[in-house]
Amino acid sequence: MPELKPRTAAGRALGDLLAGVLPQLREEAAEHDRDASFPTAAFTDMGAKGILGATVPAELGGLQVTSPHDVAVALAQVAAADPGAALALHMQFSRGLTLGHDWREAGDDALRALLVAMADGRALVSGAVSEPGSDYHRVSTRVARRADGAWELTGHKTFVTLASAATHFVVRAATADADPGDRRFAAVLLARETPGLHVAERWAALGMRSSGSPDVTFDSCPVPAAHVWVRGPWGQSTPAELPGRAVSTVAMLGIYLGIAERAAELAAKAAARHRARNAVTTGAGALLADVHTRLHSVRAVVAHTTEAVEHGVTGDPVALMRDFQAGKQFVNEQACLVVDRCLSLVGGGAYMAGHELARLYRDVRAGGFMQPYSPPDAISFLAETSVPGV
Amino acid sequence: MPELKPRTAAGRALGDLLAGVLPQLREEAAEHDRDASFPTAAFTDMGAKGILGATVPAELGGLQVTSPHDVAVALAQVAAADPGAALALHMQFSRGLTLGHDWREAGDDALRALLVAMADGRALVSGAVSEPGSDYHRVSTRVARRADGAWELTGHKTFVTLASAATHFVVRAATADADPGDRRFAAVLLARETPGLHVAERWAALGMRSSGSPDVTFDSCPVPAAHVWVRGPWGQSTPAELPGRAVSTVAMLGIYLGIAERAAELAAKAAARHRARNAVTTGAGALLADVHTRLHSVRAVVAHTTEAVEHGVTGDPVALMRDFQAGKQFVNEQACLVVDRCLSLVGGGAYMAGHELARLYRDVRAGGFMQPYSPPDAISFLAETSVPGV
Amino acid sequence: MPELKPRTAAGRALGDLLAGVLPQLREEAAEHDRDASFPTAAFTDMGAKGILGATVPAELGGLQVTSPHDVAVALAQVAAADPGAALALHMQFSRGLTLGHDWREAGDDALRALLVAMADGRALVSGAVSEPGSDYHRVSTRVARRADGAWELTGHKTFVTLASAATHFVVRAATADADPGDRRFAAVLLARETPGLHVAERWAALGMRSSGSPDVTFDSCPVPAAHVWVRGPWGQSTPAELPGRAVSTVAMLGIYLGIAERAAELAAKAAARHRARNAVTTGAGALLADVHTRLHSVRAVVAHTTEAVEHGVTGDPVALMRDFQAGKQFVNEQACLVVDRCLSLVGGGAYMAGHELARLYRDVRAGGFMQPYSPPDAISFLAETSVPGV
Amino acid sequence: MPELKPRTAAGRALGDLLAGVLPQLREEAAEHDRDASFPTAAFTDMGAKGILGATVPAELGGLQVTSPHDVAVALAQVAAADPGAALALHMQFSRGLTLGHDWREAGDDALRALLVAMADGRALVSGAVSEPGSDYHRVSTRVARRADGAWELTGHKTFVTLASAATHFVVRAATADADPGDRRFAAVLLARETPGLHVAERWAALGMRSSGSPDVTFDSCPVPAAHVWVRGPWGQSTPAELPGRAVSTVAMLGIYLGIAERAAELAAKAAARHRARNAVTTGAGALLADVHTRLHSVRAVVAHTTEAVEHGVTGDPVALMRDFQAGKQFVNEQACLVVDRCLSLVGGGAYMAGHELARLYRDVRAGGFMQPYSPPDAISFLAETSVPGV
């Protein structure tokens, strides 16, 4: 099957580097899933190989893979070996893209140092956004300016992918103004060893268990002023924020493509073994054709959506996000169905706890919970923005 | 929502008895799922209440619930509390139906004693059918007549639901004739303590982990002649066997309905909590409508298919199995989609390992692997039997 | 295939009578579709046979088929021959049910006379409800009391099924009070020859072209006071109206089942012809299995939904309508998909204008437009009523 | 919505030229649908504008649009105005591509003259392939060499798109050898005025009625030797033929995208009108989101599949055709569902015979019948070629 291929030289270079770490990731995937442990050794190796700076600007030592399509293709490669590792790697890649963008805009020294460390393989940077009970536009985590000019961060974040191994966190917070109308969003950078920062030891989800995504709490963590970037007004959703959110997350679609590709590979192998005995049956053939048709469409939507986001950043931000969300809804749903059909093709063995397909069935369902948006919010967004002149 | 209701007095009596054990089942479900342990206490309680003889003939002390519809409704009730327990209970109910039928035909004393023990709550009877690598019509387990007139059973069975707790096993075997043309199927009854019978301690599947379904091996197990029933020729599929297979398994559809009902209940509660804050959004509404439409259709297909099987046993066996398989394909697929949408409605918390919906997502996928047939085989069967005059 | 069968003696009697008119309906169906003409001869024959009074109370000479399930089964029979004729017949059957119910409540002489004429085959009664641009709860058609005590009706109705042949019309109108708060709904009975009543000659829709469903206009039509029944307040939707709307329309689901059954029959015949040459291919088999699975589910949902409506009329009216709408959404969508797959199975010839499947493809799409509700309104209704405690 | 855009300068030039003829096509579309008449005036205008040579090599006066993606985009533009016209135009474009390819290979004078005439707008060339009752690899149309060295063609072709207006036909035939093993395929070029060539006057299909696709019969038509190109052995399917079939037909997917885009536009307008009165309802929003998600995926699959075919012609021909067929299955099915949902959004008016959506509902269903392959054959092909190592 003609899988998606990188389109840029940087993307191809990344693909070549990744090829060297996939065997280890694949081999350890079952263990990390069982124990909900992080593939530390493989990430250390990725750091040594320069993979962790894949999206960092070239002048700071990175590979500068900025094409969302090529990042998606790289994540698909990794996800076919260990989906949770791909999710954790996405976190790093996404930070490279957004922090790299911010550095180009502002030339900030703190960002420069962090990006250089990412490219060197010394920094693993996690973004802490989701909170239990608060939504994206009304985060409860607060950053307050102290008398000495430094800041202090307090709050609770959840599903913090890569947190188990991260050396740094970029935290979405709000300024601590009493009047909500005065509050602003802020991005806050903290090193892991910051006093008051606590990463939960245990995290156990249905799938993506190797992604290291526990809760992280911040208890009056001190932050130097240079590591706080104050942004737009809190509590509001603005079209201007949409392109940034889209560019930093769209490549994640590649993860679910990678899972679907791997499931289809396992199913085709099972069918081939069966065919050695006698012909593929009508039922197996019907399911194989179904899998191939869906997989083709998932590849198409990943390619088209990443391209639409890449080319759309200078256009209408609502149209951009609409395309992203339509693509995300589609990929998440269809990738689940591909894995489902592959379980049927492989048969009862695939339902045993230790079977790779049983793991993929749990991992692939994570897609719908990824930012932005949840399925209900995506449907609402598509519904509200699909009527012209409104 | 007007859930399915029992249609017979016996079915209603069973429902009333079950109501008394559901709280315990529900309360312990997460623990048994985590540990892959069997809900022994609840089954002991069910025995004391007479539930374990629900399908046993009344003259032998059972409730004589013989309507597949009503058995399905009872299993739906249980599955909404603990799907694995429902699967184990289905095994017992199914044995009550088939052994009860055989007893009426033959008046056999061994069967009579076993059925009385089931009704008393002393006997839990598991049917051991599936084997690793052999299909239904070519089982490898062998029963051989010894010089002393008794028999000896040797073989390996897998996915033996209820085995963890069963007091007896009914094993599908073949006579040990050297010439395949001479071999015949045999049903073999063994008590758990039979020498050579070994139930595996560990069993870990993706879901249905409380169903107690480990491998069971038989190593030259001695069997009295009265506990071996020789049947038709080995290696052949005949239309005559279809009604029996359908009647003994069709009620299992209720399990997947029960899972879907429970998922929808959890999703509606989440939506109600959300609605307390503000209106249900377009996206949540779209998903709720989708869930309700699918759930209505699953109820309809469970009701219609169990009825078709019940009324069709005296008609064309191929038409009977065609209806069953169409219904089974539909229920298995749609129940999975209902649970999927409910995860989306509840949001990220539903993806945590301890959340009931995360468990239901794993449990509901078992449906496709249930006998008879696998999805590929069901499609092939429907394809081959849907053309008239062939 | 075990198609749905009538469950009452009256239903079976109706089925036997219908068997006598199906050949003529089938034979003329293509012609009436082409010309958008009404099958007048067949309806005359149905009148002579007593079919037109199928749902009329027995004391008034009717067959008193009141089971929605059995009415649906009868309509499925007719729809397999001529879907438009089934839709027109549904109009008559629905009037028999609602007018019969009203007569039992009120003992009204005008209703009695009309029902007797329906049973005799002399009266064909159409219900005129839909209007261009007004919805069900805010109809613009007005009935005003004149100085002499009689009334006068003025308005414009559209999609008035059976109008081409109807001898009488029951019109949904509002009293002509100036203050909307004073207006009430009214059912108004008019004979076709009433001055000012005009039935459009031409009516051309995508499908259901033999159903005789043109616009009807009323220009100051005089109506005796005994033929006006004033009801509840205009402009409001009340739960109390739901059971009546459900009971009078749910049997219509049988029409779309009948279309799907006929399409599947044509596809199976094509597959059988093809199989005479060589084996059914994997692709044809996959489509046949898909058709059978969907068709089984449509049968199940028609049976379950008509039963739910029949048994639910004394319960929660919202729950009743929710079941109906879930069933209606399901049947309409799946019946379209069955016909779609059958076109694929039959091949290019099915796309020719004169092919029966090309006609069924147009006819089956009418389902979504039938009262109550449209698909968007059904989704909204299901969304709003699926959250408990709201 | 970011619709697909041409990727080459030639494609953009074609798009600009087409913009000049779309108003006329759109205006006349209903009339040509009603009468099953060909849009002759618009095609004359297209000839004058150079559109009819869009795919003809530049050195012969054409625009040389050879990117399947850009041809698909052009056809989508036309299909949004008149799908049947787009199908007829596809026939001309496809001939330009295949004959242009053959001319480059062979430098043939007859082809050169024909291609120049296409670019001049003097030649409309239809390909006659399908036959009633014969499949692609066993055509019954025969071309026999006469004593004088010329040839004679006899046969019957069906669904000959563009035939109503074509000036020339390229006919798929077989040589008239008695021994099937000696027969070879031949492409035969005839001018419309050739004696014995008869184009049927009437042709009436469910949709695509403006495409001018009647039967064409050939009764001992004389053909000069220079207009017969003998090819590979008859009766065999070879991988080598797949790329040619794919390249010449893949752009057709654009037609069904164009229909879906137009339907969505009509539905969004209806929703906007409705929204002027009050908010879009949950149900309408759910359908709009569904339409947008599907439409996005259809765009993606058209873009990805045309690109896969363009880049895949030098690779594995089976993989190429597999991608094409997966894309074709997907686009045909999803485009139908988009139109279906749009009918629901627009409401009852869309079911009237004269409504554009009622026409699109009939037109869009043609996709499944287009060469190569039918849905059953596509499923079989995908099933057989999806297992590795076979």
Side-chain angles (χ1 to χ4, degrees), chain D residues 125-343:
Chain D
V125 187
S126 169
V129 175
S130 297
E131 300 183 352
S134 310
D135 73 18
Y136 184 82
H137 295 106
R138 305 184 73 82
V139 289
S140 298
T141 298
R142 291 288 178 271
V143 60
R145 189 179 277 271
R146 295 191 313 204
D148 64 0
W151 298 70
E152 215 174 76
L153 182 78
T154 295
H156 181 182
K157 295 289 181 176
T158 190
F159 285 109
V160 187
T161 291
L162 188 61
S164 299
T167 58
H168 297 79
F169 294 86
V170 178
V171 182
R172 181 172 172 85
T175 57
D177 301 273
D179 181 343
D182 294 337
R183 282 181 210 148
R184 302 185 75 83
F185 285 116
V188 182
L189 171 66
L190 299 93
R192 186 188 192 93
E193 56 272 15
T194 305
L197 187 160
H198 178 70
V199 179
E201 297 223 349
R202 287 290 303 162
W203 177 73
L206 175 62
M208 293 295 194
R209 292 163 60 89
S210 62
S211 66
S213 306
D215 282 20
V216 181
T217 50
F218 307 93
D219 183 5
S220 302
C221 294
V223 189
H227 290 183
V228 177
W229 292 268
V230 177
R231 301 270 165 78
W234 177 88
Q236 298 178 20
S237 168
T238 62
E241 82 194 13
L242 298 179
R245 294 187 79 184
V247 167
S248 62
T249 50
V250 71
M252 207 173 3
L253 299 184
I255 296 174
Y256 302 96
L257 170 60
I259 296 175
E261 296 271 12
R262 176 62 181 159
E265 191 183 348
L266 292 168
K269 280 183 186 167
R273 278 196 303 274
H274 187 60
R275 189 155 175 168
R277 296 203 296 265
N278 47 33
V280 166
T281 63
T282 295
L287 288 170
L288 284 166
D290 183 83
V291 162
H292 186 72
T293 302
R294 290 182 196 277
L295 192 51
H296 178 82
S297 71
V298 172
R299 285 179 197 131
V301 173
V302 169
H304 185 66
T305 307
T306 50
E307 195 178 340
V309 166
E310 184 174 7
H311 296 158
V313 287
T314 55
D316 173 8
V318 170
L320 173 81
M321 186 55 96
R322 206 161 51 201
D323 272 345
F324 177 19
Q325 291 305 313
K328 181 173 184 286
Q329 284 279 99
F330 183 88
V331 169
N332 288 341
E333 180 167 333
Q334 295 298 316
C336 283
L337 292 175
V338 167
V339 173
D340 176 85
R341 271 57 169 166
C342 292
L343 280 158

Side-chain angles (χ1 to χ4, degrees), chain B residues 231-243:
Chain B
R231 302 270 165 79
W234 178 87
Q236 296 177 22
S237 168
T238 62
E241 82 195 9
L242 299 178

Side-chain angles (χ1 to χ4, degrees), chain A residues 2 275 285 296 300 304-305 323 383 390, chain D residues 2 275 285 296 300 304-305 323 383 390:
Chain A
R275 190 157 175 166
H296 178 81
H304 185 66
T305 306
D323 272 346
V390 189
Chain D
R275 189 155 175 168
H296 178 82
H304 185 66
T305 307
D323 272 345
V390 189

Side-chain angles (χ1 to χ4, degrees), chain B residues 1-2 4 7 268 272 275 285 288-289 292-293 296-297 300-301 304-305 307 322-323 326-327 330 379 382-383 386-388 390, chain C residues 1-2 4 268 272 275 285 288-289 292-293 296-297 300-301 304-305 307 322-323 326-327 330 379 382-384 386-388 390:
Chain B
M1 291 179 202
L4 296 186
R7 292 179 173 170
R275 189 156 173 165
L288 284 165
H292 186 72
T293 303
H296 178 83
S297 71
V301 172
H304 185 66
T305 306
E307 196 179 339
R322 207 162 49 203
D323 272 346
F330 183 88
I379 294 171
L382 290 168
S386 290
V387 180
V390 188
Chain C
M1 291 179 202
L4 298 186
R275 188 155 175 166
L288 284 165
H292 186 72
T293 302
H296 178 82
S297 71
V301 173
H304 184 68
T305 306
E307 196 179 339
R322 206 162 49 203
D323 272 346
F330 183 88
I379 294 170
L382 290 169
E384 286 155 18
S386 290
V387 180
V390 189

Side-chain angles (χ1 to χ4, degrees), chain B residues 167-195:
Chain B
T167 58
H168 296 79
F169 295 86
V170 178
V171 182
R172 181 171 172 86
T175 58
D177 301 272
D179 182 341
D182 293 338
R183 282 181 209 148
R184 302 185 73 83
F185 285 117
V188 182
L189 172 66
L190 300 93
R192 186 189 191 92
E193 55 273 16
T194 305

Side-chain angles (χ1 to χ4, degrees), chain D residues 1-184:
Chain D
M1 291 178 203
E3 299 167 13
L4 296 187
K5 299 283 186 298
R7 293 179 172 170
T8 67
R12 284 186 289 274
L14 173 57
D16 292 343
L17 291 175
L18 283 171
V21 300
L22 297 182
Q24 180 178 11
L25 281 170
R26 178 168 291 128
E27 194 176 323
E28 296 180 358
E31 174 196 332
H32 293 303
D33 173 63
R34 189 192 61 216
D35 302 341
S37 59
F38 191 81
T40 308
F43 269 71
T44 302
D45 190 27
M46 284 195 258
K49 287 188 158 75
I51 291 169
L52 298 180
T55 58
V56 168
E59 36 303 41
L60 303 186
L63 295 175
Q64 197 167 315
V65 181
T66 54
S67 149
H69 177 276
D70 284 7
V71 177
V73 170
L75 293 173
Q77 254 189 297
V78 177
D82 180 344
L87 192 60
L89 194 59
H90 158 69
M91 181 58 92
Q92 175 82 351
F93 286 176
S94 177
R95 293 291 79 65
L97 287 170
T98 54
L99 300 177
H101 172 270
D102 293 348
W103 172 74
R104 280 194 198 285
E105 299 276 308
D108 191 293
D109 281 344
L111 291 179
R112 177 189 187 94
L114 184 62
L115 287 160
V116 167
M118 290 172 75
D120 284 352
R122 286 175 291 122
L124 273 171
V125 187
S126 169
V129 175
S130 297
E131 300 183 352
S134 310
D135 73 18
Y136 184 82
H137 295 106
R138 305 184 73 82
V139 289
S140 298
T141 298
R142 291 288 178 271
V143 60
R145 189 179 277 271
R146 295 191 313 204
D148 64 0
W151 298 70
E152 215 174 76
L153 182 78
T154 295
H156 181 182
K157 295 289 181 176
T158 190
F159 285 109
V160 187
T161 291
L162 188 61
S164 299
T167 58
H168 297 79
F169 294 86
V170 178
V171 182
R172 181 172 172 85
T175 57
D177 301 273
D179 181 343
D182 294 337
R183 282 181 210 148
R184 302 185 75 83

Side-chain angles (χ1 to χ4, degrees), chain A residues 60 92 139 193 202:
Chain A
L60 304 185
Q92 174 84 348
V139 288
E193 55 273 15
R202 285 291 304 162

